[in-house]
Coordinates of all heavy atoms in Angstrom, one line a residue:
M591 N 108.1 -56.7 63.2 CA 106.9 -56.9 64.0 C 107.0 -56.3 65.4 O 107.9 -56.6 66.1 CB 106.5 -58.3 64.0 CG 105.1 -58.7 64.2 SD 104.1 -58.2 62.8 CE 102.4 -58.5 63.4
R592 N 106.1 -55.4 65.7 CA 106.1 -54.8 67.1 C 105.7 -55.8 68.0 O 104.8 -56.7 67.7 CB 105.2 -53.6 67.1 CG 105.8 -52.3 66.8 CD 104.8 -51.2 66.9 NE 104.6 -50.8 68.4 CZ 103.6 -50.0 68.7 NH1 102.8 -49.4 67.8 NH2 103.4 -49.7 70.0
S593 N 106.2 -55.8 69.2 CA 105.7 -56.6 70.3 C 105.0 -55.8 71.3 O 105.3 -54.6 71.5 CB 106.8 -57.5 70.9 OG 107.8 -56.6 71.4
F594 N 104.1 -56.3 72.1 CA 103.3 -55.6 73.0 C 103.3 -56.3 74.4 O 103.4 -57.5 74.5 CB 101.9 -55.4 72.5 CG 101.7 -54.7 71.3 CD1 101.7 -55.3 70.1 CD2 101.7 -53.3 71.3 CE1 101.6 -54.6 68.9 CE2 101.6 -52.6 70.1 CZ 101.5 -53.2 68.9
K595 N 103.3 -55.5 75.4 CA 103.1 -56.0 76.7 C 101.6 -55.9 77.1 O 100.9 -55.1 76.5 CB 104.0 -55.2 77.7 CG 105.5 -55.4 77.6 CD 106.3 -54.7 78.6 CE 106.3 -53.2 78.3 NZ 107.3 -52.5 79.0
K596 N 101.3 -56.6 78.1 CA 99.9 -56.6 78.6 C 99.5 -55.2 78.9 O 98.4 -54.8 78.6 CB 99.9 -57.5 79.9 CG 98.5 -57.7 80.4 CD 98.5 -58.6 81.6 CE 97.1 -58.6 82.3 NZ 97.1 -59.4 83.5
E597 N 100.4 -54.4 79.5 CA 100.0 -53.0 79.9 C 99.8 -52.1 78.7 O 99.1 -51.1 78.8 CB 101.2 -52.4 80.7 CG 101.6 -53.1 81.9 CD 102.8 -54.1 81.6 OE1 103.9 -53.7 81.7 OE2 102.4 -55.3 81.3
D598 N 100.3 -52.6 77.5 CA 100.0 -51.8 76.3 C 98.6 -52.0 75.8 O 98.2 -51.2 74.9 CB 101.0 -52.2 75.2 CG 102.4 -51.9 75.6 OD1 102.7 -50.9 76.3 OD2 103.3 -52.6 75.1
V599 N 97.9 -53.0 76.3 CA 96.7 -53.4 75.7 C 95.5 -53.3 76.7 O 94.4 -52.8 76.4 CB 96.8 -54.8 75.2 CG1 95.4 -55.3 74.7 CG2 97.8 -54.9 74.1
V600 N 95.8 -53.7 77.9 CA 94.7 -53.8 78.9 C 94.2 -52.4 79.3 O 95.0 -51.5 79.5 CB 95.2 -54.6 80.2 CG1 94.1 -54.5 81.3 CG2 95.4 -56.0 79.8
G601 N 92.9 -52.2 79.3 CA 92.3 -50.9 79.6 C 92.0 -50.1 78.3 O 91.4 -49.1 78.5
K602 N 92.5 -50.5 77.2 CA 92.3 -49.7 76.0 C 90.9 -50.1 75.4 O 90.4 -51.1 75.5 CB 93.4 -50.0 75.0 CG 94.6 -49.3 75.4 CD 95.6 -49.2 74.2 CE 96.8 -48.3 74.7 NZ 98.0 -48.6 73.9
T603 N 90.4 -49.1 74.7 CA 89.1 -49.2 74.0 C 89.3 -50.0 72.7 O 90.3 -49.8 72.0 CB 88.5 -47.9 73.7 OG1 88.4 -47.1 74.9 CG2 87.2 -48.0 73.0
V604 N 88.4 -51.0 72.5 CA 88.5 -51.8 71.3 C 87.4 -51.3 70.3 O 86.3 -51.1 70.6 CB 88.2 -53.3 71.6 CG1 88.2 -54.1 70.4 CG2 89.1 -53.8 72.7
I605 N 88.0 -51.0 69.1 CA 87.1 -50.4 68.1 C 87.2 -51.2 66.8 O 88.3 -51.5 66.4 CB 87.5 -48.9 67.8 CG1 87.4 -48.1 69.1 CG2 86.8 -48.2 66.7 CD1 88.1 -46.7 69.0
E606 N 86.1 -51.4 66.2 CA 86.1 -52.1 64.9 C 86.5 -51.0 63.9 O 86.3 -49.8 64.0 CB 84.7 -52.6 64.5 CG 84.3 -53.8 65.2 CD 83.1 -54.5 64.7 OE1 82.5 -54.0 63.7 OE2 82.6 -55.4 65.4
T607 N 87.1 -51.5 62.8 CA 87.5 -50.5 61.7 C 86.3 -49.8 61.2 O 86.5 -48.7 60.6 CB 88.2 -51.3 60.5 OG1 87.4 -52.4 60.1 CG2 89.6 -51.8 61.0
S608 N 85.1 -50.3 61.3 CA 83.9 -49.6 60.9 C 83.6 -48.5 61.8 O 82.7 -47.6 61.5 CB 82.7 -50.6 60.9 OG 82.5 -51.1 62.1
G609 N 84.2 -48.4 63.0 CA 83.9 -47.4 64.0 C 83.1 -47.8 65.2 O 83.0 -47.0 66.1
A610 N 82.6 -49.0 65.1 CA 81.8 -49.5 66.3 C 82.7 -49.8 67.4 O 83.8 -50.5 67.3 CB 81.1 -50.8 65.8
V611 N 82.3 -49.4 68.6 CA 83.1 -49.6 69.8 C 82.7 -51.0 70.4 O 81.5 -51.2 70.7 CB 82.9 -48.5 70.9 CG1 83.6 -48.8 72.2 CG2 83.4 -47.2 70.3
K612 N 83.6 -51.9 70.6 CA 83.3 -53.2 71.1 C 83.4 -53.2 72.7 O 82.7 -54.0 73.3 CB 84.3 -54.2 70.6 CG 84.4 -54.3 69.1 CD 83.3 -55.2 68.5 CE 83.6 -56.6 68.8 NZ 82.5 -57.5 68.3
G613 N 84.2 -52.4 73.3 CA 84.3 -52.4 74.7 C 85.8 -52.1 75.1 O 86.5 -51.4 74.3
K614 N 86.2 -52.6 76.3 CA 87.5 -52.3 76.8 C 88.2 -53.6 77.0 O 87.6 -54.6 77.5 CB 87.4 -51.5 78.1 CG 87.5 -50.0 77.9 CD 87.7 -49.3 79.2 CE 88.1 -47.9 79.1 NZ 87.3 -47.1 78.3
V615 N 89.5 -53.7 76.7 CA 90.3 -54.9 77.0 C 90.4 -55.1 78.5 O 90.8 -54.2 79.2 CB 91.7 -54.9 76.4 CG1 92.4 -56.1 76.7 CG2 91.6 -54.6 74.9
R616 N 90.0 -56.2 79.0 CA 90.1 -56.5 80.4 C 91.3 -57.4 80.8 O 91.9 -57.2 81.8 CB 88.8 -57.2 80.8 CG 88.2 -56.8 82.2 CD 86.8 -57.2 82.3 NE 86.5 -58.6 82.2 CZ 86.7 -59.5 83.2 NH1 87.3 -59.1 84.3 NH2 86.4 -60.7 83.0
D617 N 91.6 -58.3 79.8 CA 92.7 -59.2 80.1 C 93.1 -59.9 78.8 O 92.4 -59.7 77.8 CB 92.3 -60.3 81.1 CG 93.5 -60.7 82.0 OD1 94.6 -60.5 81.6 OD2 93.2 -61.2 83.1
I618 N 94.2 -60.5 78.9 CA 94.7 -61.3 77.7 C 94.7 -62.8 78.1 O 95.2 -63.2 79.2 CB 96.1 -60.8 77.3 CG1 96.0 -59.4 76.9 CG2 96.6 -61.7 76.2 CD1 97.4 -58.7 76.6
V619 N 94.2 -63.6 77.2 CA 94.0 -65.0 77.5 C 94.9 -65.8 76.4 O 94.9 -65.4 75.3 CB 92.6 -65.5 77.4 CG1 92.4 -66.9 77.7 CG2 91.7 -64.6 78.3
F620 N 95.6 -66.8 76.9 CA 96.3 -67.6 75.9 C 96.2 -69.0 76.2 O 95.9 -69.4 77.3 CB 97.8 -67.1 75.7 CG 98.6 -67.3 77.0 CD1 99.2 -68.5 77.3 CD2 98.6 -66.3 78.0 CE1 100.0 -68.7 78.4 CE2 99.3 -66.5 79.1 CZ 100.0 -67.6 79.4
D621 N 96.4 -69.8 75.2 CA 96.4 -71.3 75.4 C 97.7 -71.9 75.0 O 98.6 -71.2 74.4 CB 95.2 -72.0 74.7 CG 95.3 -71.8 73.2 OD1 96.4 -72.0 72.6 OD2 94.3 -71.5 72.6
L622 N 98.0 -73.1 75.3 CA 99.3 -73.7 75.1 C 99.6 -74.0 73.7 O 100.8 -74.2 73.3 CB 99.4 -75.0 75.9 CG 99.4 -74.8 77.5 CD1 99.5 -76.2 78.1 CD2 100.6 -74.0 77.9
S623 N 98.6 -73.9 72.8 CA 98.9 -74.1 71.4 C 99.3 -72.7 70.7 O 99.6 -72.7 69.5 CB 97.8 -74.7 70.7 OG 96.6 -73.8 70.7
G624 N 99.4 -71.7 71.5 CA 99.9 -70.4 71.0 C 98.8 -69.4 70.7 O 99.1 -68.3 70.2
G625 N 97.5 -69.8 70.9 CA 96.5 -68.9 70.6 C 96.4 -67.8 71.6 O 96.5 -68.1 72.8
V626 N 96.2 -66.6 71.2 CA 96.0 -65.4 72.1 C 94.7 -64.8 71.8 O 94.3 -64.5 70.7 CB 97.2 -64.4 71.9 CG1 97.0 -63.2 72.8 CG2 98.5 -65.1 72.2
T627 N 94.0 -64.5 72.9 CA 92.7 -63.9 72.8 C 92.6 -62.7 73.7 O 93.1 -62.8 74.8 CB 91.6 -64.9 73.2 OG1 91.8 -66.1 72.3 CG2 90.2 -64.4 72.9
F628 N 92.0 -61.6 73.3 CA 91.7 -60.5 74.2 C 90.3 -60.7 74.8 O 89.4 -60.9 74.1 CB 91.7 -59.2 73.3 CG 93.1 -58.7 72.9 CD1 94.2 -59.5 73.1 CD2 93.3 -57.5 72.2 CE1 95.5 -59.1 72.7 CE2 94.5 -57.1 71.8 CZ 95.6 -57.9 72.0
L629 N 90.3 -60.6 76.1 CA 89.1 -60.6 76.8 C 88.5 -59.2 76.9 O 89.1 -58.3 77.5 CB 89.3 -61.2 78.2 CG 88.1 -61.6 79.0 CD1 87.4 -62.8 78.3 CD2 88.6 -62.1 80.4
V630 N 87.4 -58.9 76.2 CA 86.9 -57.6 76.1 C 85.6 -57.4 76.8 O 84.7 -58.2 76.6 CB 86.7 -57.2 74.6 CG1 86.1 -55.9 74.4 CG2 88.1 -57.3 73.9
Q631 N 85.5 -56.4 77.7 CA 84.2 -56.2 78.4 C 83.4 -55.1 77.6 O 83.9 -54.0 77.4 CB 84.6 -55.7 79.8 CG 83.3 -55.6 80.7 CD 83.6 -55.4 82.1 OE1 84.5 -54.7 82.5 NE2 82.8 -56.0 83.0
G632 N 82.3 -55.5 77.2 CA 81.4 -54.6 76.5 C 80.7 -53.6 77.4 O 80.8 -53.7 78.6
A633 N 80.0 -52.7 76.7 CA 79.2 -51.7 77.5 C 78.1 -52.3 78.3 O 77.7 -51.8 79.4 CB 78.6 -50.7 76.5
D634 N 77.6 -53.5 78.0 CA 76.6 -54.2 78.7 C 77.2 -55.0 79.9 O 76.5 -55.7 80.6 CB 75.8 -55.1 77.8 CG 76.7 -56.2 77.1 OD1 77.9 -56.1 77.3 OD2 76.1 -56.9 76.3
G635 N 78.5 -54.9 80.1 CA 79.2 -55.6 81.2 C 79.6 -57.0 80.9 O 80.2 -57.7 81.7
K636 N 79.2 -57.5 79.7 CA 79.4 -58.9 79.3 C 80.8 -59.0 78.7 O 81.2 -58.1 77.9 CB 78.4 -59.5 78.4 CG 77.1 -59.8 79.1 CD 76.1 -60.4 78.2 CE 74.7 -60.5 78.9 NZ 73.6 -60.4 78.0
D637 N 81.5 -60.1 78.9 CA 82.8 -60.3 78.3 C 82.6 -61.0 76.9 O 81.8 -61.8 76.8 CB 83.7 -61.2 79.2 CG 84.2 -60.4 80.4 OD1 84.3 -59.2 80.3 OD2 84.6 -61.1 81.3
S638 N 83.5 -60.6 76.0 CA 83.6 -61.3 74.7 C 85.0 -61.6 74.5 O 85.9 -60.9 75.0 CB 82.9 -60.6 73.6 OG 83.5 -59.3 73.4
Q639 N 85.3 -62.5 73.6 CA 86.7 -62.8 73.3 C 87.0 -62.5 71.9 O 86.2 -62.9 71.0 CB 87.0 -64.3 73.6 CG 86.9 -64.6 75.2 CD 87.6 -65.9 75.5 OE1 88.2 -66.5 74.8 NE2 87.5 -66.2 76.8
I640 N 88.1 -61.8 71.7 CA 88.5 -61.4 70.3 C 89.8 -62.0 70.0 O 90.8 -61.7 70.7 CB 88.5 -59.9 70.1 CG1 87.1 -59.3 70.4 CG2 89.1 -59.5 68.8 CD1 87.0 -57.8 70.3
P641 N 89.9 -63.0 69.1 CA 91.2 -63.6 68.8 C 92.2 -62.5 68.3 O 91.8 -61.6 67.5 CB 90.9 -64.7 67.7 CG 89.6 -64.3 67.2 CD 88.8 -63.5 68.2
L642 N 93.5 -62.8 68.6 CA 94.5 -61.8 68.2 C 94.5 -61.7 66.7 O 94.9 -60.6 66.1 CB 95.9 -62.3 68.7 CG 97.0 -61.3 68.6 CD1 96.8 -60.0 69.4 CD2 98.3 -62.0 69.0
S643 N 94.2 -62.7 65.9 CA 94.2 -62.7 64.5 C 93.2 -61.6 63.9 O 93.3 -61.2 62.8 CB 93.9 -64.1 63.9 OG 92.6 -64.5 64.4
N644 N 92.2 -61.2 64.7 CA 91.3 -60.2 64.3 C 91.8 -58.8 64.6 O 91.2 -57.8 64.2 CB 89.9 -60.4 65.0 CG 89.1 -61.4 64.3 OD1 89.6 -62.2 63.5 ND2 87.8 -61.5 64.7
V645 N 92.8 -58.7 65.4 CA 93.4 -57.4 65.8 C 94.3 -56.9 64.6 O 95.2 -57.6 64.2 CB 94.2 -57.5 67.1 CG1 94.8 -56.1 67.4 CG2 93.3 -58.0 68.2
T646 N 93.9 -55.7 64.2 CA 94.7 -55.2 63.0 C 95.7 -54.1 63.4 O 96.6 -53.8 62.7 CB 93.8 -54.6 62.0 OG1 93.1 -53.5 62.5 CG2 92.8 -55.6 61.5
G647 N 95.5 -53.5 64.6 CA 96.4 -52.4 65.0 C 96.2 -52.0 66.5 O 95.1 -52.2 67.0
I648 N 97.3 -51.6 67.1 CA 97.3 -51.2 68.5 C 98.0 -49.8 68.6 O 99.1 -49.7 68.2 CB 97.9 -52.2 69.4 CG1 97.1 -53.6 69.4 CG2 97.9 -51.7 70.9 CD1 97.8 -54.7 70.1
S649 N 97.2 -48.8 69.0 CA 97.9 -47.5 69.3 C 97.2 -47.0 70.5 O 97.3 -47.6 71.6 CB 97.7 -46.6 68.1 OG 96.4 -46.4 67.8
E650 N 96.5 -45.8 70.4 CA 95.7 -45.4 71.5 C 94.4 -46.2 71.7 O 93.8 -46.1 72.7 CB 95.4 -43.8 71.4 CG 94.6 -43.5 70.3 CD 95.4 -42.9 69.1 OE1 96.3 -43.5 68.7 OE2 95.0 -41.8 68.7
H651 N 94.1 -46.9 70.7 CA 93.0 -47.9 70.7 C 93.5 -49.2 70.2 O 94.5 -49.3 69.6 CB 91.8 -47.4 69.8 CG 91.4 -46.0 70.1 ND1 90.8 -45.6 71.3 CD2 91.6 -44.9 69.4 CE1 90.5 -44.3 71.2 NE2 91.0 -43.8 70.1
V652 N 92.7 -50.2 70.5 CA 92.9 -51.5 69.8 C 91.9 -51.6 68.7 O 90.7 -51.5 68.9 CB 92.7 -52.7 70.9 CG1 92.8 -54.0 70.2 CG2 93.7 -52.6 72.0
V653 N 92.4 -51.7 67.5 CA 91.5 -51.8 66.4 C 91.4 -53.2 65.9 O 92.4 -53.9 65.7 CB 92.0 -50.9 65.2 CG1 91.1 -50.9 64.0 CG2 92.2 -49.5 65.7
V654 N 90.1 -53.6 65.7 CA 89.9 -55.0 65.2 C 89.1 -55.0 64.0 O 88.4 -54.0 63.6 CB 89.1 -55.9 66.3 CG1 89.9 -55.9 67.6 CG2 87.8 -55.3 66.6
K655 N 89.2 -56.1 63.2 CA 88.4 -56.3 62.0 C 86.9 -56.3 62.4 O 86.5 -56.9 63.3 CB 88.7 -57.6 61.3 CG 90.0 -57.6 60.5 CD 90.1 -59.0 59.9 CE 91.5 -59.5 60.1 NZ 91.7 -60.9 59.7
G656 N 86.1 -55.6 61.6 CA 84.7 -55.7 61.8 C 84.2 -57.1 61.5 O 84.6 -57.7 60.5
E657 N 83.2 -57.5 62.2 CA 82.7 -58.9 62.0 C 81.9 -58.9 60.6 O 82.0 -59.9 59.9 CB 81.7 -59.3 63.1 CG 82.4 -59.8 64.3 CD 81.6 -59.6 65.6 OE1 80.4 -59.4 65.5 OE2 82.2 -59.6 66.7
T658 N 81.3 -57.8 60.3 CA 80.6 -57.8 59.0 C 81.6 -57.7 57.8 O 81.4 -58.3 56.8 CB 79.7 -56.6 58.9 OG1 80.4 -55.4 59.4 CG2 78.5 -56.8 59.8
A659 N 82.7 -57.0 58.0 CA 83.7 -56.8 57.0 C 84.3 -58.1 56.6 O 84.5 -58.4 55.4 CB 84.8 -55.8 57.4
T660 N 84.6 -59.0 57.6 CA 85.3 -60.2 57.2 C 84.3 -61.2 56.5 O 84.7 -61.9 55.7 CB 85.8 -60.9 58.6 OG1 84.8 -60.8 59.6 CG2 87.0 -60.4 59.1
E661 N 83.0 -61.1 56.8 CA 82.1 -61.9 56.1 C 81.9 -61.5 54.7 O 81.6 -62.3 53.8 CB 80.7 -61.9 56.8 CG 80.7 -62.8 58.0 CD 79.5 -62.5 59.0 OE1 78.5 -61.9 58.5 OE2 79.6 -62.9 60.1
Q662 N 82.1 -60.2 54.4 CA 81.9 -59.7 53.0 C 83.2 -60.0 52.2 O 83.2 -59.6 51.0 CB 81.6 -58.2 53.1 CG 80.2 -57.9 53.5 CD 80.0 -56.5 53.9 OE1 81.0 -55.7 53.8 NE2 78.8 -56.1 54.2
G663 N 84.2 -60.5 52.8 CA 85.5 -60.7 52.0 C 86.4 -59.5 52.2 O 86.3 -58.7 53.1
A664 N 87.3 -59.4 51.2 CA 88.4 -58.4 51.3 C 87.7 -57.0 51.1 O 86.8 -56.8 50.3 CB 89.4 -58.6 50.2
P665 N 88.1 -56.1 52.0 CA 87.6 -54.7 51.8 C 88.2 -54.1 50.5 O 89.2 -54.5 50.1 CB 88.1 -54.0 53.0 CG 89.3 -54.7 53.5 CD 89.1 -56.2 53.1
S666 N 87.5 -53.1 50.0 CA 88.0 -52.4 48.8 C 88.9 -51.3 49.3 O 88.5 -50.4 50.0 CB 86.8 -51.8 48.0 OG 86.0 -51.1 48.9
Y667 N 90.1 -51.4 48.9 CA 91.1 -50.4 49.4 C 91.1 -49.2 48.6 O 91.7 -49.0 47.5 CB 92.5 -51.0 49.4 CG 92.7 -52.1 50.5 CD1 93.0 -53.4 50.2 CD2 92.5 -51.7 51.8 CE1 93.1 -54.3 51.1 CE2 92.6 -52.7 52.8 CZ 92.9 -54.0 52.4 OH 93.1 -54.9 53.4
G668 N 90.2 -48.2 48.9 CA 90.0 -47.1 48.1 C 90.8 -45.9 48.6 O 91.2 -45.0 47.8
T669 N 91.2 -45.9 49.8 CA 91.9 -44.7 50.4 C 93.1 -45.2 51.2 O 93.4 -46.4 51.4 CB 91.0 -43.9 51.3 OG1 90.6 -44.7 52.4 CG2 89.8 -43.4 50.6
T670 N 93.9 -44.3 51.6 CA 95.0 -44.6 52.5 C 94.9 -43.8 53.8 O 94.2 -42.7 53.9 CB 96.4 -44.2 51.9 OG1 96.3 -42.9 51.5 CG2 96.7 -45.1 50.7
C671 N 95.4 -44.3 54.9 CA 95.4 -43.6 56.2 C 96.2 -42.3 56.0 O 97.3 -42.3 55.5 CB 96.1 -44.5 57.2 SG 96.4 -43.7 58.8
K672 N 95.6 -41.2 56.6 CA 96.3 -39.9 56.5 C 97.4 -39.8 57.5 O 98.2 -38.9 57.4 CB 95.3 -38.8 56.7 CG 94.5 -38.8 58.0 CD 93.4 -37.7 57.9 CE 92.6 -37.7 59.2 NZ 91.5 -36.8 59.2
F673 N 97.6 -40.8 58.4 CA 98.7 -40.7 59.3 C 99.8 -41.7 58.9 O 101.0 -41.2 58.9 CB 98.2 -41.1 60.7 CG 97.2 -40.1 61.3 CD1 95.9 -40.5 61.3 CD2 97.6 -38.9 61.8 CE1 94.9 -39.6 61.8 CE2 96.6 -38.0 62.2 CZ 95.3 -38.4 62.3
C674 N 99.5 -42.9 58.6 CA 100.6 -43.9 58.3 C 100.6 -44.3 56.9 O 101.6 -45.0 56.5 CB 100.5 -45.1 59.3 SG 99.1 -46.2 58.9
G675 N 99.6 -44.0 56.1 CA 99.6 -44.3 54.7 C 99.2 -45.7 54.4 O 99.3 -46.1 53.2
A676 N 98.7 -46.5 55.3 CA 98.3 -47.8 55.1 C 97.0 -47.8 54.2 O 96.2 -46.9 54.3 CB 98.0 -48.6 56.4
A677 N 96.9 -48.8 53.3 CA 95.8 -48.9 52.5 C 94.6 -49.3 53.3 O 94.7 -50.1 54.2 CB 96.0 -50.0 51.4
K678 N 93.5 -48.6 53.1 CA 92.2 -48.9 53.9 C 91.0 -48.6 53.0 O 91.2 -47.9 52.0 CB 92.2 -48.1 55.1 CG 92.3 -46.6 54.9 CD 92.2 -45.8 56.2 CE 90.8 -45.6 56.6 NZ 90.0 -44.8 55.6
S679 N 89.9 -49.2 53.3 CA 88.7 -48.9 52.6 C 88.1 -47.6 53.1 O 88.3 -47.2 54.2 CB 87.7 -50.0 52.7 OG 87.2 -50.1 54.0
A680 N 87.3 -47.0 52.2 CA 86.8 -45.7 52.6 C 85.8 -45.8 53.7 O 85.6 -44.8 54.5 CB 86.0 -45.1 51.3
E681 N 85.2 -47.0 53.9 CA 84.2 -47.1 55.0 C 84.9 -47.3 56.4 O 84.3 -47.1 57.4 CB 83.4 -48.4 54.8 CG 82.6 -48.5 53.5 CD 83.5 -49.0 52.3 OE1 83.9 -50.1 52.4 OE2 83.7 -48.3 51.4
E682 N 86.2 -47.6 56.4 CA 86.9 -47.8 57.7 C 87.2 -46.4 58.3 O 87.9 -45.6 57.8 CB 88.2 -48.5 57.4 CG 87.9 -50.0 57.1 CD 89.1 -50.8 56.8 OE1 90.0 -50.3 56.2 OE2 89.1 -52.0 57.3
R683 N 86.5 -46.2 59.5 CA 86.7 -44.9 60.1 C 87.9 -44.9 61.0 O 88.3 -43.9 61.6 CB 85.4 -44.6 60.9 CG 84.3 -44.2 60.0 CD 83.0 -44.1 60.7 NE 83.1 -43.4 61.9 CZ 82.2 -43.5 63.0 NH1 81.2 -44.3 62.9 NH2 82.4 -42.8 64.0
W684 N 88.5 -46.1 61.3 CA 89.7 -46.2 62.1 C 90.7 -47.0 61.3 O 90.4 -47.9 60.6 CB 89.4 -46.9 63.4 CG 88.4 -46.2 64.2 CD1 87.0 -46.3 64.1 CD2 88.6 -45.2 65.2 NE1 86.4 -45.5 65.0 CE2 87.4 -44.8 65.7 CE3 89.8 -44.7 65.8 CZ2 87.2 -43.9 66.7 CZ3 89.7 -43.8 66.8 CH2 88.4 -43.4 67.3
C685 N 91.9 -46.4 61.3 CA 93.0 -47.1 60.5 C 93.2 -48.5 61.0 O 93.4 -48.7 62.2 CB 94.3 -46.3 60.5 SG 95.6 -47.1 59.7
P686 N 93.2 -49.5 60.1 CA 93.4 -50.9 60.5 C 94.9 -51.1 60.9 O 95.2 -52.1 61.5 CB 93.0 -51.7 59.3 CG 93.2 -50.8 58.2 CD 92.9 -49.4 58.7
S687 N 95.7 -50.2 60.5 CA 97.2 -50.4 60.8 C 97.6 -49.7 62.1 O 98.2 -50.2 63.0 CB 98.0 -49.9 59.6 OG 99.4 -50.0 59.9
C688 N 97.3 -48.3 62.1 CA 97.9 -47.6 63.3 C 96.7 -47.3 64.3 O 97.0 -46.8 65.4 CB 98.5 -46.3 62.8 SG 97.4 -45.0 62.2
G689 N 95.5 -47.5 63.9 CA 94.4 -47.4 64.9 C 94.0 -46.0 65.2 O 93.3 -45.7 66.1
R690 N 94.4 -45.0 64.3 CA 94.0 -43.6 64.5 C 92.6 -43.3 63.8 O 92.3 -43.8 62.7 CB 95.0 -42.7 64.0 CG 96.2 -42.7 64.9 CD 97.3 -41.8 64.2 NE 98.2 -41.3 65.2 CZ 99.6 -41.3 65.0 NH1 100.0 -41.8 63.9 NH2 100.4 -40.8 65.9
S691 N 91.9 -42.4 64.4 CA 90.6 -42.0 63.8 C 90.9 -41.2 62.5 O 91.8 -40.4 62.4 CB 89.9 -41.1 64.8 OG 88.8 -40.5 64.1
Q692 N 90.0 -41.5 61.5 CA 90.2 -40.9 60.2 C 89.3 -39.7 60.0 O 89.2 -39.2 58.9 CB 89.9 -41.9 59.1 CG 90.9 -43.1 59.2 CD 92.3 -42.8 59.0 OE1 92.7 -42.2 57.9 NE2 93.2 -43.0 60.0
T693 N 88.6 -39.3 61.0 CA 87.6 -38.2 60.9 C 88.2 -36.9 61.4 O 89.1 -37.0 62.3 CB 86.3 -38.5 61.6 OG1 86.6 -38.9 62.9 CG2 85.6 -39.6 60.9
Ligands
LIG1777 ZN1 97.2 -45.5 60.0

């Protein structure tokens, strides 16, 4: 398991696997029970919190599970990432593993 420092994450763009841009990581929040949340500033200037469990990959971007995708259940793994080979659904425009653009 890779570990990350705050500097590896803060300031990066947060993108859903569907390709939707959520905003930029502003800070990292944690609680004493071990929960870690990314504080993300959206384009409208409002902060939202994304739990670490929703983060699927960190590279040049922070890639998170799409809110719609999680509600629909498991994605259909039709393709693989052309960079790291991770299984991904054809609809995912960003690799959930390495965070690279698939276009
Ligand atoms: Zn990948």
Side-chain angles (χ1 to χ4, degrees):
M591 206 66 189
R592 269 181 77 187
S593 58
F594 296 95
K595 289 184 286 195
K596 184 178 171 182
E597 305 90 88
D598 295 330
V599 175
V600 171
K602 283 193 173 161
T603 303
V604 179
I605 299 169
E606 285 188 7
T607 52
S608 62
V611 176
K612 302 279 287 180
K614 271 191 163 51
V615 180
R616 218 159 62 74
D617 212 338
I618 297 170
V619 183
F620 62 91
D621 61 46
L622 291 178
S623 62
V626 178
T627 305
F628 288 4
L629 195 62
V630 175
Q631 188 169 37
D634 56 2
K636 286 186 186 143
D637 284 339
S638 59
Q639 294 198 5
I640 297 176
L642 191 63
S643 55
N644 278 12
V645 177
T646 63
I648 298 170
S649 61
E650 64 260 53
H651 308 290
V652 175
V653 181
V654 299
K655 281 184 228 167
E657 278 153 23
T658 46
T660 41
E661 279 165 20
Q662 287 166 357
S666 52
Y667 291 118
T669 60
T670 54
C671 171
K672 57 187 176 185
F673 297 103
C674 72
K678 57 180 276 302
S679 69
E681 302 85 61
E682 289 177 321
R683 287 167 50 200
W684 299 86
C685 175
S687 178
C688 71
R690 287 176 158 132
S691 171
Q692 302 296 303
T693 52

